[in-house]
Amino acid sequence: MTKKIIRRLIFVFILVLAVVFGIMHYDKTEYTRDNLEEYVCRMCELSDVPGFSAAIIDGDNEYYINYGEGIDENSRFELASTTKAFTALGILKLEKEGKLSIADPATKYIPWFKPTYKGNAYDITIENLLCHTSGIPVWTITTIPEGDATKEGELTKTIENIKDVKLSSKHGTHHEYATINYDVLGLIIEEVTGEKYEDYISEQILKPVGMENSLFRVSDEENDECVQGYKTMFFKAHPYDAPSYYGNTAAGYLVSSTSELMKWIEIWSREGYGTLDYSDVENETIESKSLDKENKSLGYVFSDIVGETLGHDVSKTDNYYAGWNIYDTYICHGGNNPNFSSQVIIARDRQQGVFALSSLAGSSATRIADGIYRILLGEKLKIGLQIDDNELIDFLSIELMLLFIYFTLLFWDKKSKASCVKRIAGSAVFIAALVILPVVFHYPLTMIYVWFPFTASIALGVSVILAVINILAGCTWVRQV
């Protein structure tokens, strides 16, 4: 009788939790330019975002919206995958200087890098890497070793881990977003320049743009240089110090603030909109907050690169090139690290853009930036049901954990031989799946702990314990029958 009451209470709690979760993430207010800041604050509240900052360009107006204790436009966040556009700009600058060509095979600079497709070695080009059409599979992110810049050769080791990887498609034929493509580009930059990747980008890209206070997270020491990162557990954001992946620096570990990223938006926004004529830099007849006028030639280089990037044929690359998703009216890119997220959206047909940084892993930066951009375009926006991707995983993990407990109690009293065999078989299959599936799909369980809400790891742990209990109980009862 007691078990029956407990089961019913758990089932009712599962249903009530789902209803309450939905209500807590719903907002029916209408938002426009007049209450844009209120929109940002409400979105942060709905997703329990600890810290957020957005740089916004709206015509001639440039401003910031910040949320969270101690957060302002000078607060630094990890950029995650929006770092890729900076790496691409470094590669394209080297091409302008005649030091490489994007048509070159990667093996020209990394001779031992020889991926295969159907047993044959293929020469992936630099352009393939820029477009994510190299054929390198998405799961290769799991091969990136944990370690910082204090360990010699971490970037090289990262690429060595996939030097003979089996491509999932023939290069140049299919777009598959694999973050490690840009780590290969980072190593090419080092081979061509003889400098460390982060030193080259800092001196040749960040400094001239005016982003001198931005840096790369190459070790745990840089954690003190940016705000605390978080990830979700049991409906709340919890501080999380993610491991260092120095080998992935070129793809996701630039650290910057919205005050400096405003300068980055200016370069792409004004060039895309056609309001900035770099040819006038020589005579200093224009004001550009983005360019180092002591190095006027760099102005020309950036102008050419930006224009060529926006004009690149992306019809066969799923609209992707050089760290940007490129569309007719806007360009964009998102980023997600284990404890940070980001999103940039810049119009091509008008002078508007937003770069959003969040100290919470998940989709918060993307969804808030998307809302800001739509409001800038003149939309009247209602949030409706707002659930961050990681919040959803957190919620489902809790619900599945409760369901596992519910069904364990439901079948606990069924002690016939057939019921025991089913209990043992089902639990054994579950445990076997946890062992086999990560191997088949190349995703180790450690990825869940690092990249997903803590609740997912807890749910797996509880499920395994319950499965073992079911197996032991089933074996005991079978012997008694």
Side-chain angles (χ1 to χ4, degrees):
M1 187 65 179
T2 303
K3 292 189 186 72
K4 188 174 182 180
I5 293 173
I6 293 174
R7 287 201 309 268
R8 287 180 176 176
L9 287 175
I10 292 175
F11 187 73
V12 170
F13 183 71
I14 290 171
L15 295 178
V16 171
L17 185 62
V19 173
V20 173
F21 181 76
I23 293 172
M24 289 176 60
H25 290 83
Y26 186 82
D27 184 274
K28 63 179 181 180
T29 306
E30 186 174 83
Y31 298 93
T32 64
R33 267 193 175 90
D34 295 333
N35 59 349
L36 180 57
E37 188 167 352
E38 182 183 336
Y39 164 79
V40 171
C41 291
R42 182 57 180 150
M43 287 287 285
C44 288
E45 290 170 357
L46 289 172
S47 295
D48 194 37
V49 177
F52 176 87
S53 184
I56 299 170
I57 288 181
D58 187 13
D60 293 330
N61 298 317
E62 297 182 358
Y63 57 97
Y64 307 91
I65 297 179
N66 304 300
Y67 176 89
E69 184 178 353
I71 301 296
D72 60 27
E73 57 270 23
N74 295 311
S75 300
R76 291 188 286 200
F77 300 69
E78 285 182 13
L79 266 58
S81 286
T82 47
T83 300
K84 290 180 171 68
F86 294 86
T87 299
L89 187 58
I91 285 286
L92 296 175
K93 181 175 182 293
L94 288 172
E95 182 180 47
K96 278 294 176 187
E97 295 169 349
K99 296 178 181 178
L100 58 76
S101 167
I102 64 171
D104 290 340
T107 50
K108 180 176 179 179
Y109 308 98
I110 316 173
W112 44 263
F113 179 61
K114 297 179 179 180
T116 63
Y117 180 66
K118 293 185 177 180
N120 298 314
Y122 273 90
D123 285 331
I124 293 171
T125 68
I126 293 175
E127 184 174 11
N128 293 151
L129 296 167
L130 288 168
C131 297
H132 288 295
T133 57
S134 65
I136 295 175
V138 62
W139 59 259
T140 49
I141 188 175
T142 67
T143 67
I144 299 172
E146 187 177 323
D148 58 28
T150 60
K151 295 182 178 180
E152 286 294 326
E154 279 297 291
L155 177 55
T156 300
K157 182 179 178 182
T158 297
I159 311 308
E160 284 180 342
N161 286 347
I162 62 160
K163 65 181 180 181
D164 55 357
V165 67
K166 294 180 180 179
L167 303 177
S168 58
S169 61
K170 187 176 179 181
H171 68 95
T173 63
H174 177 70
H175 174 85
E176 181 175 0
Y177 188 95
T179 195
I180 211 166
N181 280 312
Y182 276 69
D183 296 323
V184 179
L185 292 172
L187 185 56
I188 289 174
I189 287 174
E190 291 196 349
E191 294 297 325
V192 171
T193 65
E195 301 178 51
K196 281 187 171 294
Y197 160 82
E198 60 270 22
D199 293 339
Y200 174 80
I201 297 296
S202 295
E203 286 298 316
Q204 299 298 321
I205 304 298
L206 299 182
K207 185 177 179 180
V209 169
M211 297 176 61
E212 295 184 350
N213 291 318
S214 298
L215 53 96
F216 287 93
R217 184 193 164 198
V218 297
S219 70
D220 291 338
E221 294 179 3
E222 276 75 31
N223 284 338
D224 296 332
E225 300 292 336
C226 60
V227 303
Q228 175 65 56
Y230 292 77
K231 66 177 181 176
T232 306
M233 180 175 67
F234 293 112
F235 308 120
K236 294 291 292 181
H238 293 264
Y240 176 55
D241 293 324
S244 292
Y245 294 98
Y246 178 63
N248 197 34
T249 300
Y253 285 93
L254 178 59
V255 174
S256 190
S257 64
T258 50
S259 63
E260 298 216 322
L261 291 168
M262 184 72 82
K263 303 165 186 177
W264 181 247
I265 303 175
E266 288 171 5
I267 290 177
W268 294 91
S269 174
R270 293 182 178 180
E271 179 63 21
Y273 187 54
T275 60
L276 184 59
D277 182 3
Y278 288 96
S279 64
D280 288 334
V281 174
E282 185 176 10
N283 299 319
E284 298 188 7
T285 59
I286 64 168
E287 292 185 5
S288 171
K289 291 177 281 186
S290 302
L291 296 176
D292 177 2
K293 291 180 181 177
E294 293 181 0
N295 191 350
K296 300 184 183 71
S297 63
L298 193 59
Y300 301 128
V301 172
F302 280 1
S303 175
D304 288 346
I305 294 172
V306 171
E308 290 170 7
T309 299
L310 295 178
H312 193 82
D313 181 11
V314 292
S315 60
K316 297 180 181 179
T317 61
D318 201 24
N319 296 98
Y320 195 98
Y321 178 65
W324 293 101
N325 294 290
I326 302 174
Y327 302 97
D328 291 339
T329 59
Y330 68 96
I331 58 174
C332 66
H333 206 288
N336 209 332
N337 274 3
N339 54 351
F340 287 92
S341 58
S342 66
Q343 179 70 50
V344 57
I345 309 173
I346 303 173
R348 297 183 63 182
D349 57 353
R350 61 190 73 200
Q351 207 163 331
Q352 288 170 326
V354 55
F355 208 129
L357 303 176
S358 172
S359 62
L360 180 67
S363 58
S364 58
T366 294
R367 298 193 181 197
I368 297 172
D370 179 68
I372 292 172
Y373 186 72
R374 289 166 62 188
I375 289 172
L376 293 179
L377 294 180
E379 286 189 38
K380 294 180 179 180
L381 192 65
K382 287 187 177 181
I383 295 173
L385 187 64
Q386 163 59 29
I387 302 175
D388 180 274
D389 291 349
N390 275 10
E391 280 188 302
L392 182 60
I393 295 172
D394 177 58
F395 167 72
L396 292 176
S397 296
I398 295 170
E399 291 284 76
L400 289 172
M401 190 163 36
L402 290 171
L403 282 171
F404 211 128
I405 295 172
Y406 172 79
F407 282 111
T408 297
L409 292 173
L410 181 63
F411 295 106
W412 189 259
D413 292 329
K414 296 182 179 182
K415 299 180 180 179
S416 66
K417 186 173 183 179
S419 296
C420 289
V421 170
K422 290 178 181 178
R423 180 183 286 110
I424 295 169
S427 298
V429 167
F430 173 75
I431 293 174
L434 283 181
V435 174
I436 296 171
L437 291 179
V439 176
V440 173
F441 292 103
H442 305 282
Y443 282 93
L445 292 176
T446 52
M447 287 287 292
I448 294 177
Y449 177 77
V450 173
W451 287 90
F452 287 81
F454 291 121
T455 330
S457 298
I458 294 172
L460 281 178
V462 170
S463 299
V464 169
I465 291 171
L466 289 173
V468 171
I469 290 173
N470 275 302
I471 291 173
L472 294 176
C475 290
T476 301
W477 293 329
V478 163
R479 287 197 296 268
Q480 294 174 353
V481 174

